[in-house]
Each structure stands twice: as structure tokens, then as C-alpha cells.
Amino acid sequence: MPSPTTRRHESWRARVHEVIYEADTPAGKAFDVVLICLIVLSVITVMLDSVQPISDVHGELLRGIEWGFTVLFTVEYLLRLLSVGQALRYATSFFGIVDLVAILPTYLSVFIPGGQTLLAVRVLRLLRVFRVLKLGHHVKEAGVLIRALRAARYKFTVFLATVLTLVVILGSLIYLVEGAANGFTSIPRSVYWAIVTVTTVGYGDIAPQTNIGQFFAAITMMIGYAIIAVPTGIVTVELSRAVRHEVSTQACPRCSREGHDTDATHCRFCGARL
């Protein structure tokens, strides 16, 4: 039988897990709102610090605010590790790595002194923008979108293979029509033109000069507009299916994984009781 100390410890972990990982409780919602505000403010701080006139005047203040955010996010990261049953699994998950990368650069900048390394420190500081990805913890619709994209991956593969074949054919044809005299010096460069044209980007660095080539370019543009609807339709269908398959916001207390059915009593990933 568990001792009173063990029971209190487990109760503390369960309470912290409920607040941090659950989004359907008042405490969990309040925690999410506060954390989202802190993330947005920290990203704004990073952006302001990158503006040289502002940094010259308020650099020390911005760095102090940044350290405050870093301490808060460090505490949050440690609480996430302590409140989940399999801390290593969370630490090596996508969001676990993002949470770690979001706080490491500020600490690393302390151990990289010297004027000649300031550029390296600036590169490390840019990684703090990864904090904005922490918002994915709190956006329920992100899971729906991920499931839809995962379900559509084979359709997208076929679509991209078809587009790749199409641009190779179009590039080869425009190379034969225009030739090196009009800037189409090779088939790869012509395929580049076909990709830019089909995707409706149109940089304009190379363009057909002959009447036949321009007519061919017009056909290629129309093809580009026509195929835009294909990936849109694929995503729309898969999104509607994903929305119908409703899942709860509950996170497993052992492995912290989400995406369980609303009536599930055990985690479908590790088997722990929800």
C-alpha cells in the first residue's frame, strides 16, 4: 500500500499534470492563456531587440525582460518533465525539443564571451523565435490539421509526382521551342522556368521571346491555375473527415500524448489509464 508521502507526491504530480497538459479544466485554460500571452510577449521582445535603433537605446531593458521570460519558461519546462510519467519521451518529442531549444540560447550566450563571437550569439538568439511553436500545445485545431495532412500524404505524393513529370515535359518542350538564344540554355534551366510558371510565381528572369513560345507559356499558365484546385480539394476532403473524428484534449499522464477518443479510458499509445 502506498505511503502517505507517496500518495501526496502522486497527487501533486497529477494536479500539476492536469493544469499544464489538460485544456478542458478552468485551471488548464487559465494556464494556457497566461502561457500564450508570455510566448507572444517574448517573441515581440526578440523582434524589438533585432531593431538596431531600439536595441541601442533599450538593449539592457530588453535583455532583462528576455532573462525573465527564460526563467519562467525554464520553470514550465521542468514542471512538464516532473509531472509526466515518461519524462524522457516528452523531452525527445517534437514539442519537448522545441521547449528546450526555446530556452537554451539565452543560457548558452553566457558561456560564449568575446567580441569575436557576437555573431554566433546573435544566431543562437534567433532560435528563441521557436517559442512561437509552443502555441501548438494549446491549439486544438492543430491536431485536426495534422491528422488531415497525414491522411492525405499519399494523395499529395501522387500529385507532386504528376506535377514533377509535367514540368519536366513542359521544360523540355520550351527548350526546343526557344533554345539558348532566348535564355533557355539547358533543360534544367527550362524546367526551372516551367516550375516558376506552373506555380504562378513568375519571376521574369527568363521569358519566351517567340510567338510560339509565348503561346506555349500561356498554356502553361492556364495549366498552373487549373492544378491549384487539386491540393485544395484534397485537404478539404481530409479536413472534413478529421473533424468528424472528434478527439478529446486529454493528455496521457504517463507519456503526455494526445489525440484520444472522447470515450477512451486508457491511452492508445502506452496503455496508461487516462
Side-chain angles (χ1 to χ4, degrees):
M1 183 176 180
S3 64
T5 303
T6 303
R7 286 198 298 269
R8 284 196 298 270
H9 177 69
E10 292 298 326
S11 175
W12 175 84
R13 285 183 58 185
R15 177 59 179 167
V16 173
H17 182 277
E18 180 181 349
V19 172
I20 293 180
Y21 286 98
E22 306 297 340
D24 52 358
T25 63
K29 290 178 181 178
F31 176 82
D32 286 350
V33 170
V34 172
L35 189 57
I36 288 172
C37 292
L38 291 176
I39 292 169
V40 172
L41 290 175
S42 69
V43 173
I44 292 175
T45 302
V46 174
M47 292 181 177
L48 291 176
D49 194 28
S50 68
V51 180
Q52 196 61 43
I54 297 178
S55 181
D56 291 341
V57 178
H58 305 289
E60 291 298 324
L61 174 62
L62 293 174
R63 281 186 282 277
I65 295 174
E66 168 56 30
W67 271 104
F69 285 129
T70 298
V71 171
L72 290 174
F73 288 128
T74 302
V75 173
E76 181 231 350
Y77 179 73
L78 293 176
L79 288 175
R80 286 184 182 274
L81 291 177
L82 292 174
S83 63
V84 72
Q86 297 181 358
L88 181 60
R89 174 167 289 185
Y90 167 75
T92 56
S93 66
F94 172 75
F95 284 116
I97 294 173
V98 167
D99 291 346
L100 182 61
V101 170
I103 61 177
L104 272 183
T106 306
Y107 292 114
L108 290 178
S109 65
V110 177
F111 302 101
I112 308 180
Q116 70 276 11
T117 60
L118 288 178
L119 291 178
V121 173
R122 177 163 290 184
V123 171
L124 291 175
R125 288 165 67 85
L126 290 177
L127 295 178
R128 293 174 299 163
V129 179
F130 271 74
R131 286 176 183 168
V132 76
L133 297 180
K134 289 161 63 70
L135 294 173
H137 278 303
H138 319 287
V139 181
K140 179 181 177 182
E141 287 74 14
V144 176
L145 181 59
I146 291 173
R147 288 196 303 274
L149 293 176
R150 186 181 294 122
R153 63 186 182 276
Y154 297 116
K155 298 182 181 71
F156 273 122
T157 301
V158 174
F159 171 74
L160 291 177
T162 303
V163 172
L164 179 61
T165 303
L166 181 63
V167 296
V168 169
I169 295 173
L170 293 173
S172 301
L173 291 175
I174 197 69
Y175 172 73
L176 293 175
V177 172
E178 292 292 321
N182 294 321
F184 294 85
T185 55
S186 65
I187 291 181
R189 185 165 176 78
S190 302
V191 169
Y192 157 76
W193 170 87
I195 293 174
V196 170
T197 305
V198 166
T199 55
T200 69
V201 176
Y203 289 127
D205 49 350
I206 54 174
Q209 303 299 319
T210 66
N211 293 332
I212 297 177
Q214 291 171 354
F215 174 77
F216 186 75
I219 298 298
T220 305
M221 295 174 197
M222 298 303 296
I223 292 175
Y225 278 112
I227 64 176
I228 288 176
V230 176
T232 305
I234 293 174
V235 174
T236 301
V237 170
E238 296 300 338
L239 275 175
S240 62
R241 292 176 180 174
V243 169
R244 284 199 297 268
H245 181 65
E246 188 175 342
V247 296
S248 70
T249 59
Q250 190 170 18
C252 174
R254 178 188 294 176
C255 67
S256 76
R257 302 284 289 274
E258 300 178 358
H260 306 97
D261 293 334
T262 52
D263 58 347
T265 57
H266 291 78
C267 175
R268 64 191 183 94
F269 301 102
C270 69
R273 185 172 183 81
L274 298 174

